[in-house]
Amino acid sequence: MGIEKVRIAAEMATKWTDPTWVLTVAIIAGIVANVVGPFVLGYYLGLKFVLLPALASYTWFSFVYMRRQPANTSKYLTFKDAGLKSKYNNARIPMAELVDGYISGKIDFNGDVLELLQNDRDKFVNYKVSWVQVQWLIRQLFPNQHNSSLKDVNSTHKEIAEHYDRGNDFFNAFMGETMVYTSGVYRGLDQTLEQAQFNKMSLICDKLDVKAGERFLDIGCGWGTLVR
């Protein structure tokens, strides 16, 4: 599964300098260097040099690459987590940590989220690869509970239960009558989301040239709205 994700990263890239490929190569090379390097240094230079590769990598990443970039971040964000506040209240925050913090309720936006991200994100966000991202990517190379594709049975069961076992009332609250959460087709600015969903299903039937009395198989249909 880890090899498959490396292949996908390579396919997404159009040239060697694209982020997906650079990041994948850098992480794999970093792992190899920090695993093989200590043995080589220890063998040729002595045991006191064993930790040198890891120490050098940590020093460069923490104090050079991720060095603090001053910014008035508190103007745009409210930090509910003391650790995040001490790190980023007056410094640019990596986009990955901003997203994680917002989803987990540790960060709030001081205003409309879309407007702030559209107009002001470059004033308080940086786009560097953070340690949070590096950890996640490393975990994708090996079977573990944090791997997005290859989890153990208990982790998979827990993930499915947390999503699908909430009951129809939960999903109906934001999906509405159609119980569909894919795209909609609007035929006017005055149309509702529900009408857009019905328009989409009607368009699908038109493209399939479905006629009365015919049968079709709908795979991955959720609540079977189109079938109904």
Side-chain angles (χ1 to χ4, degrees), residues 109-213:
F109 286 85
N110 299 334
D112 184 84
V113 176
L114 180 59
E115 289 183 2
L116 285 174
L117 289 178
Q118 281 185 329
N119 303 324
D120 301 307
R121 65 179 182 273
D122 291 335
K123 299 175 183 176
F124 64 94
V125 169
N126 75 52
Y127 303 95
K128 294 182 177 181
V129 178
S130 69
W131 177 238
V132 172
Q133 289 172 288
V134 173
Q135 285 180 303
W136 185 86
L137 288 167
I138 291 174
R139 287 166 175 166
Q140 305 314 300
L141 299 174
F142 313 99
N144 61 84
Q145 63 176 336
H146 301 288
N147 190 307
S148 61
S149 302
L150 194 60
K151 299 181 178 69
D152 57 42
V153 174
N154 290 335
S155 297
T156 302
H157 184 274
K158 179 175 180 292
E159 184 176 278
I160 293 173
E162 288 178 347
H163 183 80
Y164 291 104
D165 291 354
R166 293 180 178 272
N168 286 353
D169 290 342
F170 171 81
F171 290 99
N172 182 258
F174 60 91
M175 289 183 188
E177 182 182 351
T178 60
M179 295 292 280
V180 173
Y181 50 83
T182 53
S183 59
V185 176
Y186 286 87
R187 303 193 187 282
L189 297 178
D190 60 329
Q191 292 196 329
T192 63
L193 175 61
E194 288 75 16
Q195 183 61 52
Q197 298 285 13
F198 282 115
N199 292 344
K200 176 192 65 181
M201 289 183 283
S202 177
L203 180 62
I204 291 172
C205 292
D206 290 342
K207 286 184 174 294
L208 292 175
D209 196 22
V210 177
K211 297 180 176 61

Side-chain angles (χ1 to χ4, degrees), residues 23-141:
L23 192 56
T24 301
V25 172
I27 288 176
I28 294 176
I31 292 175
V32 172
N34 280 280
V35 171
V36 177
F39 290 100
V40 174
L41 291 174
Y43 180 80
Y44 286 103
L45 302 178
L47 293 178
K48 62 182 178 180
F49 291 98
V50 165
L51 297 178
L52 187 60
L55 182 61
S57 297
Y58 174 80
T59 302
W60 174 82
F61 186 86
S62 300
F63 300 104
V64 179
Y65 178 75
M66 290 299 293
R67 64 184 179 276
R68 180 185 177 86
Q69 297 176 287
N72 188 18
T73 304
S74 59
K75 176 181 177 181
Y76 307 98
L77 303 176
T78 295
F79 293 96
K80 301 179 180 180
D81 178 84
L84 288 173
K85 184 175 182 178
S86 64
K87 289 175 66 176
Y88 300 119
N89 203 45
N90 296 299
R92 290 178 179 269
I93 181 172
M95 180 59 84
E97 295 195 40
L98 171 60
V99 173
D100 282 346
Y102 179 66
I103 292 175
S104 61
K106 297 178 180 179
I107 297 174
D108 267 344
F109 286 85
N110 299 334
D112 184 84
V113 176
L114 180 59
E115 289 183 2
L116 285 174
L117 289 178
Q118 281 185 329
N119 303 324
D120 301 307
R121 65 179 182 273
D122 291 335
K123 299 175 183 176
F124 64 94
V125 169
N126 75 52
Y127 303 95
K128 294 182 177 181
V129 178
S130 69
W131 177 238
V132 172
Q133 289 172 288
V134 173
Q135 285 180 303
W136 185 86
L137 288 167
I138 291 174
R139 287 166 175 166
Q140 305 314 300
L141 299 174

